[in-house]
């Protein structure tokens, strides 16, 4: 796929990632639906249920496949796939198809659909579409508003965080959704995220980092920190983080600095561990960029990010169990900590 020494996005990697995503965002099968049947008429196929996000094995992977393509198009507009991406988006983001996705959410049994992982990714996609000089974001906005409302309805009654390294992670979903709140200038949504995360996480100290479990693609520990980094004032976050991982500059807890081993990339759950390596690299780079000048952890964090990238970047493609989603997480890691216009 690429050289293990690669640690930042290049035009060549962008083209390779775009080719991968174009190969799966409209691939309907195989498909793992998150779908509750209310009656026999609900036994329908992915494209019928989801006019836009029917590919990529599952709905949320299709959403972030579109995010990947939109991000690559903005950052590397000269890639050979640029025309194909624009044509795909012009076909996908129409009023009728967006209305179809919104209608699916109105089903009584769709109340918990993709909560919270898909919610966060859908809003992350919308934040990216807003950065393009195209009608896509305006057309897609009703779906984004529907998912923003889901956060507004759910978070006030969510008494506890979900501290996992998989799709149920509340920290991951809110970190992504905050990008949308910031792009929209939605102060009320940002305040909701901030107040809830303060209540959930601010008292945490000396994280033990008992990870990874055998099918995680997120670091529960680092994801909590990255979520708070996005929400708290810089000085407050720095003080909290120093207490949360007080021995990080000495590479402790060691689990956070050791890339995960992936024993079988054809197993969809075990393949999650490549995603863990990418998400740790992403978090370490973002956290390092927020550290005070001269903090010794910065160099340790960057070295750790490179080690995790080297472990999994050669395996973004090869088996569909990873290929339908891993490039998105690799892109997060490759671009983390940058200031991109």
């Amino acid at each position: 796929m690429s050289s293990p020494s690669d640690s930042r996005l290049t035009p060549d990697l962008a083209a390779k990632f775009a080719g991968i995503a174009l190969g799966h965002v409209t691939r309907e099968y195989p498909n793992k639906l998150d779908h509750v049947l209310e009656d026999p008429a609900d036994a329908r196929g992915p494209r019928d249920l989801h006019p836009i996000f029917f590919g990529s094995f599952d709905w949320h992977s299709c959403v972030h496949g579109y995010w990947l393509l939109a991000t690559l198009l903005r950052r590397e507009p000269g890639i050979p796939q640029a025309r194909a991406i624009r044509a795909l988006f012009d076909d996908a983001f129409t009023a009728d198809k967006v209305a179809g996705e919104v209608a699916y959410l109105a089903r009584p049994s769709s109340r918990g659909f993709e909560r919270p992982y898909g919610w966060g990714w859908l809003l992350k996609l919308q934040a990216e579409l807003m950065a393009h000089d195209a009608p896509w974001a305006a057309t897609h906005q009703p779906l984004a508003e529907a998912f923003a409302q889901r956060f507004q309805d759910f978070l006030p009654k969510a008494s506890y965080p979900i501290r996992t390294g998989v799709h149920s992670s509340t920290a991951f979903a809110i970190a992504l959704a905050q990008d949308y709140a910031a792009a929209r200038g939605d102060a009320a949504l940002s305040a909701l995220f901030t107040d809830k995360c303060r209540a959930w996480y601010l008292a945490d100290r000396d994280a033990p980092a008992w990870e990874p479990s055998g099918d995680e693609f997120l670091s529960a520990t680092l994801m909590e920190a990255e979520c708070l980094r996005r929400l708290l004032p810089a000085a407050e976050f720095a003080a909290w983080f120093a207490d949360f991982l007080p021995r990080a500059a000495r590479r402790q807890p060691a689990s956070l600095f050791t890339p995960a081993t992936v024993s079988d990339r054809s197993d969809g759950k075990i393949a999650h561990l490549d995603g863990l390596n990418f998400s740790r690299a992403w978090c370490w780079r973002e956290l390092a960029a927020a550290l005070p000048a001269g903090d010794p952890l910065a160099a340790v964090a960057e070295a750790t990010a490179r080690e995790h990238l080297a472990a999994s970047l050669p395996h973004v493609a090869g088996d569909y169990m990873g290929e339908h989603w891993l490039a998105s997480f690799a892109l997060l890691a490759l671009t983390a900590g940058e200031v991109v216009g």
Side-chain angles (χ1 to χ4, degrees):
M1 178 66 206
S2 60
S3 166
S5 64
D6 292 335
S7 66
R8 288 296 180 186
L9 184 68
T10 63
D12 181 59
L13 270 178
K16 290 179 179 178
F17 286 0
I20 290 170
L22 285 170
H24 64 68
V25 293
T26 58
R27 177 177 171 178
E28 189 172 4
Y29 297 103
N31 200 294
K32 182 177 183 292
L33 288 171
D34 177 7
H35 179 56
V36 177
L37 280 72
E38 297 177 355
D39 56 49
D42 275 341
R44 298 151 59 195
R47 190 187 293 261
D48 193 28
L49 295 168
H50 300 293
I52 303 174
F53 304 117
F54 58 83
S56 306
F57 190 72
D58 51 49
W59 188 90
H60 52 253
S61 296
C62 196
V63 170
H64 65 72
Y66 274 89
W67 168 82
L68 171 82
L69 289 168
T71 304
L72 295 174
L73 182 63
R74 175 174 56 83
R75 292 184 58 108
E76 299 289 344
I79 56 175
Q81 298 86 356
R83 180 176 294 181
I85 294 170
R86 292 190 184 95
L88 171 69
F89 282 23
D90 288 343
D91 179 70
F93 298 119
T94 67
D96 286 348
K97 290 182 178 180
V98 170
E101 295 281 354
V102 172
Y104 184 84
L105 299 181
R107 302 166 68 249
S109 59
S110 295
R111 180 181 181 185
F113 175 71
E114 289 284 351
R115 187 177 79 192
Y117 184 76
W119 300 8
W121 268 121
L122 191 286
L123 294 184
K124 175 78 165 171
L125 168 61
Q126 180 65 1
E128 178 57 42
L129 292 177
M130 290 169 64
H132 290 260
D133 184 14
W136 307 321
T139 305
H140 189 244
Q141 184 61 30
L143 187 58
E145 290 176 357
F147 279 101
Q149 187 62 51
R150 272 164 152 64
F151 275 109
Q152 292 161 353
D153 293 341
F154 172 68
L155 288 180
K157 58 190 176 187
S159 301
Y160 308 102
I162 303 175
R163 302 173 181 272
T164 66
V166 291
H167 305 88
S168 53
S169 167
T170 43
F172 180 79
I174 289 175
L176 296 191
Q178 172 57 20
D179 287 354
Y180 167 79
R184 286 282 292 178
D186 190 333
L189 188 59
S190 288
L192 174 64
F193 293 155
T194 302
D195 291 347
K196 180 56 66 172
C197 288
R198 283 181 180 276
W200 282 344
Y201 302 125
L202 209 59
D204 290 357
R205 297 290 186 272
D206 200 7
W210 287 325
E211 58 180 76
S213 296
D215 68 352
E216 292 184 330
F217 59 90
L218 301 169
S219 165
T221 305
L222 296 180
M223 200 65 248
E224 175 181 334
E226 172 57 12
C227 181
L228 284 185
R229 181 197 68 79
R230 292 167 181 242
L231 297 170
L232 297 180
E236 183 180 5
F237 171 75
W240 175 86
F241 186 61
D243 289 335
F244 183 64
L245 290 175
R247 294 174 295 283
R250 303 197 298 274
R251 300 177 71 94
Q252 295 294 329
S255 59
L256 297 180
F257 299 87
T258 306
T261 299
V262 185
S263 61
D264 181 358
R265 291 186 167 88
S266 69
D267 183 301
K269 293 292 190 179
I270 296 174
H272 276 180
L273 293 166
D274 276 319
L276 174 68
N277 287 336
F278 291 139
S279 65
R280 281 186 181 168
W282 169 52
C283 287
W284 275 128
R285 280 185 156 167
E286 296 286 13
L287 293 166
L291 293 171
D295 191 311
L297 178 55
V300 172
E302 175 60 25
T304 301
R306 287 173 177 265
E307 291 163 9
H308 280 73
L309 273 164
S312 289
L313 198 55
H315 306 291
V316 168
D319 190 284
Y320 198 57
M321 285 299 95
E323 192 169 303
H324 75 272
W325 68 281
L326 278 172
S328 296
F329 280 77
L331 184 61
L332 289 171
L334 291 164
T335 59
E338 297 180 349
V339 178
V340 180

